[in-house]
Structures are given as C-alpha cells and as structure tokens.
Amino acid sequence: MQRALRAGRRATFTYFVLNGFVMGMWIVHIPVVEHRTGIGHAVLGWLLLLLGAGAFAGMRITGPLADRYSPRTVVPVSAALCCAAVVLPGLAGDVWTLGGALLLLGFGNGCLDVAMNAHAVQVERGYGRPVMAAFHAMFSVGGVLAALAGARALGWGWDPLVTLGATALLGLVVAGAAASALLPIEPALLGGNGPERPAARRPSGRVWGLAALALMLMLCEGVANDWSVLHLSTVLDAPAATAAFAYGAFATAMTVGRFLTDRVAGRFGPVAVVRYGAGVAAAGLTAAALSPWIPLALAGWGVFGLGLSGCVPQLFSAAGHAGQGNAATNVSRVASLGYLGMLAGPTVIGPLTHLVPLNLTFLLPVAFCVVAVAAAGTLRPRPAPPVPVRPERDRTAR
C-alpha cells in the first residue's frame, strides 16, 4: 500500500510539472503568435479572457466528473486534452481562430487543474499529513523548464507550430506513462447516487468561505504577475533589466516557500500558515509599495511571494477534505473562484491608476491579505458529526 501511495505521489508531481510546462510553453510563444496573427496588445488582452473563460468552464465541469468517476480516470483524460490543445495557437492565423484555440486551451487547463488537485487531496489523505504545497511548487518548476526550453527553441528560430506540436506530443506521452500510477479510489468515496455511494451534498458555507479567500489571495498573486515589473520601472524609474527582478523575486520566493510549506503546515496547522503567511505578504507588499529605494522594493516583492506561497495550497487542501464524497467538486468551486480572482487582478488595478498612483493601488491587495489574516480560522478542520446508532430491536418482543 505504501509503495502504491508513493507511486501515486510521484505521478501527481508529474502532472503538476506537465501542466506548468504546457502552459509555460504557450506563454513564452505569446509574442510570436501575436505577431503572426496580426493582432495588437488590446485585442490579445480580450482574447486572453477567453482563455480564462474556458478554464472556468473546465473547472466547474471536471469537479463533479472526478467525484463520480474518480480522479484516476479524469486526470489522464484532462491532461491529454490540455496537451492536445496547446498546439492550436500555433495553427491560428487570425483573431477568430486564435480566440477558439485559447478557449479550448483554457478549457483543457481548467480540467487538468481541478483533476490533479483532486488527486493530490487523495494522496494527502493517504499520507495523513500535509503534502499539497509541494505539488503546487512543481507546477512552478514546470514553468521554469518551459521558459528554458522555449527560449532555446525561439533562439534557434523554430516555428511555433513545431515547438508547440512537440510539446503536445511529449505531453501526451508523459500523461499516458504516468496514468497507471494514479491511485484507485475507494468505491465508498465516489460521488453519485448509487446505493453504496453517498449522495451529493450542497456546498457548505465553509466551502464558499474558502472560495472567497481563494479569490482574494489569487487576486493578490495576479497583481504581482502583471504589475510588479511595471511598478519598479514606472514608479521607481528602474532600468528594464532591474525591473524584471521584481517578478523574479516574487516567483522565486513563492516556489521556495511552497517547498517548505508542507513541513510548516504539518507542525503548526493550515490556519497558522494562512494567518501568518497572509500577514507576512501584507507587510512585504506594503514595503514594496511605499519604498523609495529599489533594493527595498525588490525585497518587498520577494517577501510578498514568500508569504503568499503556502496560502492557496492550504485552501485547496481544506476544500478537498471538507467532504469525502464531493472532494473534487469542492476543489473546483475554490479553484474556479480563485482563478477569477487572478484574472481580476490586472482588471481591478488598471482603472485605479486613473485615481491614485500605481504603488498606492497595491493597498487594495494588502487589504485582502489583512482580511485573510482575520478569516484564516475558516480553514480549521471541523469534527465530523456523530453517526446516529439505532438500538437493536428486541427479538423477543412480539
């Protein structure tokens, strides 16, 4: 049993790396695809909303399917869909075909995101200790590998269709090879309405509370992704090469933090990880926003990433453990709202810059981190209600 559990954990690592690599390969080819299709930045921004819409739809559909048919069945199918779809932007020749390609790519990504997180919850349940954050760190590792491979391919002048096609083929092979190591789920934990399966339950207020926290904290992450470099270049007049280190500091600190979070969560619990992590994030972003010095701002973005690093994995884990019969559905609710928050980050900050300087708009995500500090108790595990025991009928009674 322990051997199967370890194999299942390695397979989950593989799918997280694969997801990060596939999406990373698309990201590094965005400028080339944009040029080939003849669209501008504004149109690309609208098309990326289709990527988000597809991901949201995929997340909401995959959760119930994973509960009904088990993550072991849904994960490889979702991975194959995501890998096959990554080649589509390389085939796009105009705005319409690119829009359809991004919608399908987003759908595949959303399906895989929820399915692999649902399997990660199953692995964590088998280990009996926190292991979720390391999976999310491996997603970042996949992105780094994609950046290196994509840069090399672009340097060689490869056509995007060739590179993305090779990515799709490699991904399909890896997804198929890792499928056999995924864990089978106990029939009693499968969703559905069969006689041996628990009936699907409506989401509790706790699940929606976790989803609201995911929306706020992933919005904070989206702000760092899209505005950290611009903050240093426009507010502090940093050179372009120096400004790039703002996102680098954030992403590196987040990756390192996620490799360390499981040990911290195992010792102090998920509530402490979110409460103190969000507090550290708030302090880091405040320092970055108000600092007049570039080194302090870079340090602030790094501290911001370190604080946020463990928060979202704990939310996914808590959602998955909130109900065994509908774990994947709960994960899909938290993940989909969190994804909306990440997309909303640039949308919210942009209009605010017409009212206040860019660095002061960061006080909004700081406020969201403070709310997470106050609401971290939502992650506290709740004891299962006692199962009523019927007294045995007296057989001697007539």
Side-chain angles (χ1 to χ4, degrees):
M1 179 61 185
Q2 289 300 315
R3 179 178 297 178
L5 189 59
R6 288 193 294 269
R9 188 183 186 187
R10 288 193 296 269
T12 311
F13 279 136
T14 300
Y15 283 106
F16 271 83
V17 173
L18 177 62
N19 190 202
F21 182 78
V22 168
M23 296 308 296
M25 289 298 285
W26 148 245
I27 290 171
V28 299
H29 284 87
I30 286 177
V32 180
V33 173
E34 181 186 35
H35 177 73
R36 167 178 286 189
T37 53
I39 61 175
H41 295 335
V43 175
L44 178 64
W46 287 107
L47 292 181
L48 290 176
L49 291 179
L50 291 176
L51 183 78
F56 183 82
M59 289 174 180
R60 298 309 301 265
I61 291 172
T62 302
L65 289 177
D67 281 330
R68 184 168 185 82
Y69 299 108
S70 87
R72 181 175 187 172
T73 302
V74 177
V75 168
V77 176
S78 299
L81 179 61
C82 184
C83 293
V86 77
V87 75
L88 298 179
L91 293 169
D94 54 40
V95 63
W96 301 106
T97 52
L98 181 58
L102 293 182
L103 186 66
L104 291 175
L105 178 59
F107 183 81
N109 178 53
C111 292
L112 179 55
D113 191 299
V114 166
M116 67 187 187
N117 272 287
H119 189 266
V121 169
Q122 185 181 344
V123 171
E124 187 173 62
R125 187 179 290 125
Y127 270 86
R129 58 181 175 84
V131 297
M132 178 67 77
F135 293 133
H136 285 247
M138 295 306 290
F139 178 89
S140 300
V141 170
V144 172
L145 293 176
L148 296 174
R152 183 68 276 176
L154 290 170
W156 285 334
W158 286 12
D159 188 278
L161 179 58
V162 173
T163 308
L164 294 177
T167 301
L169 289 175
L170 176 63
L172 289 171
V173 171
V174 172
S180 62
L182 295 173
L183 298 177
I185 196 168
E186 297 85 350
L189 296 183
L190 285 170
N193 297 319
E196 78 284 359
R197 297 174 180 177
R201 297 185 295 275
R202 298 183 62 181
S204 64
R206 178 171 180 252
V207 171
W208 289 123
L210 294 171
L213 284 176
L215 187 149
M216 289 186 287
L217 291 174
M218 291 183 73
L219 183 147
C220 296
E221 186 175 340
V223 168
N225 292 342
D226 293 283
W227 294 100
S228 57
V229 176
L230 284 173
H231 164 238
L232 260 75
S233 63
T234 61
V235 177
L236 299 180
D237 294 321
T242 303
F245 282 109
Y247 176 71
F250 172 83
T252 301
M254 176 165 279
T255 303
V256 172
R258 283 179 171 171
F259 277 119
L260 301 175
T261 294
D262 288 330
R263 292 182 179 274
V264 177
R267 182 170 182 179
F268 300 104
V271 175
V273 170
V274 173
R275 177 166 292 152
Y276 294 104
V280 168
L285 186 54
T286 301
L290 301 182
S291 171
W293 303 295
I294 292 175
L296 180 57
L298 289 173
W301 283 110
V303 171
F304 184 50
L306 184 65
L308 284 183
S309 61
C311 294
V312 171
Q314 301 309 306
L315 297 176
F316 281 25
S317 177
H321 292 297
Q324 292 186 342
N326 55 349
T329 302
N330 287 338
V331 169
S332 73
R333 293 183 177 113
V334 173
S336 58
L337 281 185
Y339 196 81
L340 284 181
M342 182 172 289
L343 291 175
T347 306
V348 170
I349 295 298
L352 287 178
T353 58
H354 295 295
L355 303 175
V356 295
L358 174 60
N359 60 319
L360 294 184
T361 65
F362 297 151
L363 296 181
L364 177 62
V366 167
F368 285 155
C369 289
V370 173
V371 171
V373 171
T378 306
L379 284 87
R380 185 171 290 110
R382 297 179 182 178
V387 178
V389 180
R390 295 182 179 180
E392 294 186 3
R393 183 179 297 178
D394 187 358
R395 297 182 179 179
T396 61
R398 298 291 181 183

